[in-house]
Amino acid sequence: MRSLIFAAFAFVAACDSTVDNSFRVQGAGLQLHSAQMDRNTENQSKYFNALCLQAGYSGPCAPAPNVSASHTWRLLVETGYNDIDFRCNTYLTWIDSKRSERLLVEGTSNAISILAAGLLKGTSASADKLADIALALGFARDLYDSYQSSILLGLEGSTIKEIVNKRRMAHRESFRNVTYDSRPDAVFALQRYLSICTPQSILTDVNSFSRAAAGGETPPLAAEAAASAQMLGLQPNNPVTPPRRNVAAVPEQSKLFEGQGFSERDVAVFQLASCIDVDVEVGPATLSSVRLLEQFEPVMDSSGRISRTEWDVLRGKMEARPCDTSVYKNVYENYAHGSDGGVAAINALVAAGALDIGFRNQPFNGPGVRDALAELRQRIGPSETFPGLGSMSGQLTSTLYQRAIRN
């Protein structure tokens, strides 16, 4: 009992009385400018500079306010997602570790303080300069406090991981076609993604999933992710939703991969790069995408499934290039010609005389390009059919491309 009283006292004493009184008297407050705003602005700049380095730039790369550079903002958001994934995975691992300890209260406050610093700093060489980067995204230090986290320690670990992973996958799917035109757009997307891994969000999700499962309904995870994306002007695809309780889970990985050690995330990575629905179910569209890859990827055999050796070569590039379905229509277009929207491929077809010179420097979704590809296929063939992928008439495949280049 004495240790519990001491822990409670320590928790209360750790609270910032100035901040506490401010919220108690003023609520959110009416003063627009504060010292915290200046700190947030500085921290935000530090964070984006760090993301620039992670993305491969040699220095700051965030565009000026009057510069249109949606590609750079998208790259920074995708890099930020990967950075947040690392922090979130560290947090989930910490929860697992603490759940295994018999003495829950002892050392919790100290552990939480270390967690908050580690989660917000990461492990980069410049971590000491980035201690407050998440504060710039609107998160307070006491977000990961001992009260919230101690509740999580009582929950089943695999449940937490499943919910967080499904929500992250749903978010990425809903935001994958977003065009980021400014820093506020990028910050909004990163805020929503980071919030998935906060104790409050996890607790809310667990409660929602429990209530929904009791009634045999899945919670509105897809609708929430879609609503967030629509705030940036996107009409998103339907993201992944978890299965209902009491429904037998049938492993899908063995239909796509050969051997052991593959996860649902591996299936999702492949589907996301293949320009098909990310449902973690291996159906005709997924298997047809494998056949498309086998046509041109030298490392692959013709088994219709992906081996460990093949996946070690494919995964990195697929993770780095999720498909934008407004530009690419299949995995070959995205994987083989996705770096420039298809401009180089179209120019090669023009140079070979397969397409009219008027299409030079046009991407796949340029004016009339899809119609021209459909006419080219009708003229020289082949007539290809891939179950689950729909009509291939206006799509570029390896077979069509090679035949047109050689003619």
Side-chain angles (χ1 to χ4, degrees):
M1 175 63 72
R2 181 178 300 174
S3 62
L4 289 175
I5 294 174
F6 176 80
F9 175 79
F11 173 72
V12 173
C15 295
D16 189 325
S17 60
T18 302
V19 174
D20 183 66
N21 289 335
S22 175
F23 281 124
R24 191 189 310 277
V25 176
Q26 302 178 30
L30 298 176
Q31 185 177 359
L32 293 179
H33 181 269
S34 67
Q36 183 63 52
M37 182 177 183
D38 294 333
R39 288 193 294 271
N40 287 354
T41 301
E42 180 182 359
N43 293 333
Q44 192 177 102
S45 296
K46 288 181 179 179
Y47 187 43
F48 279 112
N49 288 345
L51 293 182
C52 288
L53 295 177
Q54 288 187 30
Y57 290 92
S58 59
C61 64
N66 60 339
V67 175
S68 178
S70 58
H71 173 75
T72 301
W73 281 122
R74 181 173 182 82
L75 178 63
L76 289 179
V77 170
E78 292 293 336
T79 304
Y81 285 168
N82 293 338
D83 178 59
I84 291 170
D85 278 344
F86 169 77
R87 301 169 193 277
C88 183
N89 292 338
T90 301
Y91 180 54
L92 297 181
T93 300
W94 179 87
I95 290 176
D96 273 346
S97 175
K98 301 307 291 183
R99 286 182 71 252
S100 66
E101 296 180 6
R102 296 180 61 186
L103 299 177
L104 175 62
V105 176
E106 184 177 350
T108 297
S109 297
N110 183 52
I112 293 294
S113 298
I114 296 173
L115 164 69
L119 191 73
L120 302 184
K121 288 175 63 175
T123 58
S124 65
S126 59
D128 58 318
K129 301 178 182 178
L130 300 173
D132 298 325
I133 52 177
L135 294 177
L137 298 179
F139 293 88
R141 277 199 180 279
D142 59 0
L143 185 66
Y144 295 86
D145 61 39
S146 56
Y147 171 72
Q148 297 285 359
S149 294
S150 64
I151 295 177
L152 292 185
L153 298 180
L155 299 178
E156 205 279 319
S158 63
T159 299
I160 295 176
K161 290 181 179 179
E162 179 182 5
I163 290 174
V164 171
N165 289 337
K166 293 291 187 181
R167 280 179 55 81
R168 289 192 292 188
M169 193 179 299
H171 177 101
R172 283 186 179 246
E173 174 65 9
S174 287
F175 277 74
R176 66 178 174 139
N177 293 331
V178 169
T179 298
Y180 304 99
D181 294 320
S182 64
R183 176 177 290 193
D185 287 346
V187 170
F188 175 82
L190 293 173
Q191 280 180 332
R192 303 295 283 191
Y193 197 62
L194 181 58
S195 69
I196 292 171
C197 205
T198 63
Q200 291 90 333
S201 292
I202 295 173
L203 289 171
T204 299
D205 289 338
V206 169
N207 290 334
S208 297
F209 275 67
S210 298
R211 287 193 298 268
E217 298 293 334
T218 51
L221 184 153
E224 179 182 336
S228 297
Q230 285 173 342
M231 293 184 71
L232 292 181
L234 172 71
Q235 297 297 326
N237 298 322
N238 289 329
V240 177
T241 55
R244 295 183 180 183
R245 182 173 293 182
N246 298 326
V247 176
V250 179
E252 297 285 315
Q253 298 93 294
S254 61
K255 301 177 185 177
L256 176 61
F257 298 103
E258 296 176 353
Q260 303 296 318
F262 296 98
S263 66
E264 285 189 350
R265 170 154 177 80
D266 292 322
V267 179
V269 167
F270 179 82
Q271 290 177 329
L272 192 58
S274 299
C275 310
I276 58 179
D277 290 340
V278 181
D279 55 11
V280 200
E281 295 182 4
V282 181
T286 304
L287 297 177
S288 290
S289 296
V290 176
R291 294 300 186 186
L292 274 173
L293 273 179
E294 290 175 345
Q295 288 183 357
F296 76 96
E297 177 55 66
V299 73
M300 298 188 70
D301 56 29
S302 57
S303 67
R305 293 194 298 167
I306 302 173
S307 69
R308 169 56 61 187
T309 301
E310 293 167 347
W311 188 235
D312 288 343
V313 174
L314 299 173
R315 178 170 183 167
K317 187 172 182 179
M318 288 191 157
E319 283 184 322
R321 187 173 294 163
C323 179
D324 181 350
T325 54
S326 68
V327 179
Y328 312 111
K329 301 304 180 185
N330 60 59
V331 67
Y332 171 73
E333 290 185 354
N334 180 51
Y335 186 88
H337 302 291
S339 61
D340 62 356
V343 172
I346 296 302
N347 284 346
L349 293 174
V350 170
L355 294 180
D356 186 87
I357 194 172
F359 293 110
R360 185 186 300 276
N361 295 326
Q362 290 292 318
F364 287 138
N365 64 342
V369 171
R370 290 292 177 187
D371 290 339
L373 289 175
E375 191 277 331
L376 176 63
R377 182 179 293 278
Q378 186 176 19
R379 187 171 74 248
I380 69 171
S383 177
E384 297 178 280
T385 301
F386 293 96
L389 297 184
S391 173
M392 304 298 291
S393 64
Q395 301 185 33
L396 191 65
T397 63
S398 177
T399 305
L400 174 60
Y401 182 76
Q402 295 301 327
R403 181 173 295 190
I405 293 296
R406 288 195 293 264
N407 280 353

